[in-house]
């Protein structure tokens, strides 16, 4: 398992261009399956979750090619609707394939999707919506089997505005007979991105970005070309890196209107936020003020995907913060390693009460999930001495070469590649120097 070695105390200062958004790209890849011919996606981040999704599609018979941030994908040779396998179990987002493959092929069979260890992550909302559209669904041990002659439009009211379920229904409905209406839909910007891409493929969808989405089913769609939107979560993480080190950052190509809850929280902590036409500039005071009460919520609320990172940054802010997690019940695994680094945090139900301390110290810690891993990196940037973070491949699921990005901005951070030789002895590869 690779590790990060970070010597804290450096100040983040510089300009960076936000990468393409993983949470936009994964549903776009799934939607590409619906179109006849090739789709070309630009500004694609090289993340392990993206490779896993491409692997699942390749195994099903799609042709895919990924180079220099561009993905070409052609589903015309897709024969296999059995998506069982390790890759499906590895990633939660494999569930996005249920709707489109079922709509296109009339059947789909896949293992229960996996993902980060942040909570139960059931798929009941996805399945009951597909059932309402006429799918026959069977759950056998570890496998979901869906069949239908042809899906039909339906009025579907979600019990919770699930991002993935909203996207799955949009994709299934695009080739269904008649009109589908999704009520209490999730309103995340990535859903609007999916709508716009699919409309370019020939779909007829409106309302994404509001809580009512209407989809008129079409007989066929075709491949399209698309430039993937910037990653608001990566941008937020980098702004937090500046925040925790008393630094300054300009994140290019990111849209502030998608980050309002986060940016106003950072302003309340004493950061100066300057929204420009081409990005966001953020400058931190020597020590941040505590954020007070921050509840996570569905968009436009504070994103759960920035909760762990904010929590890590609040460990050294002046005052007490109450960070309430309302989306995933088990998203506080990062508390333990943060305490090892000297943080003063207690868990009160679904809230973490963070009492800011003057400083953290380096320690050997382990990433337990993607965003929790990023949070440990932020804590290490501020800590005195050296921090070693194990299991950083989890961070690769959502950040492309985070060590390279942060090193360029002034962090003292290296990645050590660890493996085993033929005799099973542990080997360590010299770090890349950026
Ligand atoms: C997406 C994002 C993820 C983000 C999350 C919430 C992608 C690839 N991932 O995940 O980064 O953290 O939105 O913003 O876009 N739920 C059910 N039953 C279901 C579906 C969901 O109970 O069938 C629950 C989940 O357990 C969770 C909540 O609904 O508690 C939100 O999940 P959802 O919005 O579906 O998240 P994802 O689409 O998995």
């Amino acid at each position: 398992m690779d590790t990060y070695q970070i010597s804290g105390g450096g100040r983040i200062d510089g300009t960076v261009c936000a990468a393409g958004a993983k949470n936009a790209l994964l549903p776009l890849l799934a939607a590409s399956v619906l179109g006849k011919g090739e789709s070309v996606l630009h500004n694609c981040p090289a993340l392990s979750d993206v490779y896993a999704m491409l692997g699942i599609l390749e195994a099903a018979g799609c042709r895919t090619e990924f180079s220099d941030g561009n993905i070409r994908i052609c589903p015309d040779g897709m024969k296999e609707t059995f998506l069982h396998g390790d890759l499906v179990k590895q990633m939660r987002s494999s569930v996005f394939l249920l709707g489109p493959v079922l709509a296109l092929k009339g059947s789909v069979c896949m293992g229960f999707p996996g993902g980060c260890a942040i909570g139960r992550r059931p798929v009941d909302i996805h399945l009951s919506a597909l059932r309402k559209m006429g799918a026959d669904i069977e759950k056998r041990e570890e496998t979901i089997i869906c069949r239908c002659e042809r899906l039909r439009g339906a009025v579907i009211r979600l019990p919770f505005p699930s991002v993935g379920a909203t996207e799955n229904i949009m994709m299934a409905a695009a080739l269904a007979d008649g009109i589908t209406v999704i009520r209490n839909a999730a309103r995340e910007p990535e859903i609007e991105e999916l709508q716009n891409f699919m409309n370019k493929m020939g779909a007829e969808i409106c309302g994404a970005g509001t809580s009512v989405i209407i989809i008129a089913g079409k007989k066929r769609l075709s491949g399209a070309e698309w430039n993937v939107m910037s990653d608001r979560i990566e941008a937020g993480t980098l702004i937090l890196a500046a925040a925790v080190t008393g630094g300054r950052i300009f994140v290019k190509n990111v849209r502030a209107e998608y980050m309002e809850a986060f940016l106003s929280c950072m302003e309340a902590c004493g950061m100066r936020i300057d929204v420009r036409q081409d990005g966001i500039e953020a400058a931190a005071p020597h020590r941040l003020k505590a954020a007070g009460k921050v509840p996570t919520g569905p968009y436009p609320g504070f994103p759960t995907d920035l909760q762990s990172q904010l929590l890590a940054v609040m460990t050294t802010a002046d005052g007490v913060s109450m960070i309430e997690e309302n989306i995933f019940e088990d998203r506080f695994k990062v508390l333990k390693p943060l305490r090892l680094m000297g943080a003063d945090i207690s868990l009160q139900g679904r809230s973490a009460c963070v009492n800011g301390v003057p400083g953290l110290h380096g320690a050997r810690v382990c990433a337990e999930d993607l965003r929790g891993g990023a949070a440990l990196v932020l804590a290490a940037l501020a800590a005195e001495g050296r921090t070693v973070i194990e299991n950083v491949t989890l961070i690769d699921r959502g950040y492309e070469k985070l060590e390279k990005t942060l090193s360029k901005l002034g962090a003292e951070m290296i990645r050590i590649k660890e493996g085993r030789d033929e005799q099973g002895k542990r080997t360590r590869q010299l770090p890349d120097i950026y």
Side-chain angles (χ1 to χ4, degrees), residues 96 125-126 156-170 182-195 205-214 232 297-301 327:
F96 291 143
I125 303 177
H126 301 244
I156 297 162
R157 186 178 176 83
L158 302 184
F160 178 86
S162 154
V163 177
T166 302
E167 292 168 336
N168 225 334
I169 301 165
M170 285 165 71
I182 312 174
R183 296 194 179 279
N184 197 26
R187 294 188 281 157
E188 268 68 1
E190 291 76 16
I191 290 173
E192 221 174 316
E193 174 95 342
L194 178 64
Q195 165 185 279
I205 309 176
C206 64
T210 75
S211 50
V212 181
I213 301 177
I214 302 171
R232 61 195 170 100
Y299 186 84
I327 308 291

Side-chain angles (χ1 to χ4, degrees), residues 363-379:
R364 190 171 187 99
V365 289
C366 184
E368 300 265 2
D369 62 73
L370 160 58
R371 305 300 172 187
L376 292 177
V377 171
L378 299 180

Side-chain angles (χ1 to χ4, degrees), residues 22-24 26-27 49 92-93 95-96 118-127 160-165 167 186 188 190 232-233 297-299 303-305 326-329 331 371:
K22 164 181 102 96
N23 286 356
L26 294 172
D49 269 12
R92 164 82 182 176
S93 305
V95 75
F96 291 143
I118 56 177
R120 290 176 303 118
R121 307 198 80 173
V123 291
D124 55 313
I125 303 177
H126 301 244
L127 298 185
F160 178 86
S162 154
V163 177
E167 292 168 336
E188 268 68 1
E190 291 76 16
R232 61 195 170 100
I233 304 301
Y299 186 84
T304 174
D305 285 354
N326 295 309
I327 308 291
F328 294 110
E329 72 268 25
R331 211 163 203 182
R371 305 300 172 187

Side-chain angles (χ1 to χ4, degrees), residues 352-366:
C353 175
V354 189
N355 192 5
V357 293
L360 300 176
H361 52 79
R364 190 171 187 99
V365 289
C366 184

Side-chain angles (χ1 to χ4, degrees), residues 81-85 88-89 95 98 107-113 123 127 131 136-147:
T81 59
F82 180 69
L83 306 175
H84 203 41
V88 167
K89 290 193 180 156
V95 75
L98 268 187
S107 75
V108 59
C109 172
M110 69 190 286
F112 273 91
V123 291
L127 298 185
R131 232 178 236 127
D136 181 23
I137 298 175
E138 213 186 305
K139 286 190 248 173
R140 244 188 252 159
E141 290 169 17
E142 298 282 282
T143 310
I144 309 169
I145 304 161
C146 307
R147 290 188 200 88

